[in-house]
Amino acid sequence: MLDWNEIASYGIEMAPAAFAVLAAVLVIWLVWRLVRGALRLVLGARESPADAPRPRKATERREPVLGPPAAASVPSRPVPDAADVLALKASIDALTRQIASLEKKLTVPPEAPAALSPSRTTGGEDASRISVTPPLSS
């Protein structure tokens, strides 16, 4: 029975041979690809492109035809009814309220700079000279 040390030493002994076999397989594969490419160029020149069938893409899909093709007309858009219009208006109003509440949360109150004492400012600045401009709302 083999223990782990013997298995590891056997793997170390066989590593160069395994690498050589893998390298040889890689070289054979590359040569085979080159030969196939050269044969395609030589044999592909004899056939005309019109005779060869066009390969289909894997993502290409043909839909089944259920009837005669429809007339080439612009499809008419359905007219929204009153319920759709009211639902759209309600959602726009809700978004407007949310935006207004977020703007209120993000603006700095104008009395905040006046609450600072001169001892909290850096460099001996006077708190009355600090100006905070709230963001412009459009």
Side-chain angles (χ1 to χ4, degrees):
M1 187 159 155
L2 296 174
D3 65 349
W4 289 109
N5 290 332
E6 292 176 7
I7 294 173
S9 65
Y10 184 72
I12 292 172
E13 290 174 9
M14 291 297 163
F19 179 73
V21 168
L22 287 176
V25 168
L26 177 66
V27 168
I28 291 171
W29 179 73
L30 287 174
V31 169
W32 174 250
R33 295 269 317 224
L34 288 173
V35 168
R36 282 183 57 199
L39 288 176
R40 281 188 187 152
L41 287 177
V42 171
L43 296 178
R46 292 182 190 169
E47 298 177 7
S48 64
D51 296 339
R54 186 178 66 95
R56 291 183 53 194
K57 294 180 183 175
T59 59
E60 186 178 336
R61 179 178 169 181
R62 286 193 280 171
E63 295 293 329
V65 178
L66 300 177
S73 64
V74 178
S76 62
R77 295 182 184 170
V79 178
D81 58 349
D84 291 338
V85 173
L86 288 175
L88 181 62
K89 185 181 181 305
S91 64
I92 290 173
D93 291 340
L95 285 173
T96 305
R97 285 192 299 272
Q98 289 177 357
I99 291 171
S101 69
L102 286 173
E103 283 179 347
K104 286 179 185 176
K105 288 179 184 177
L106 292 176
T107 57
V108 177
E111 53 273 356
L116 291 176
S117 65
S119 63
R120 295 181 127 202
T121 59
T122 59
E125 296 177 5
D126 189 16
S128 62
R129 293 191 300 165
I130 298 175
S131 64
V132 175
T133 311
L136 298 175
S137 61
S138 49

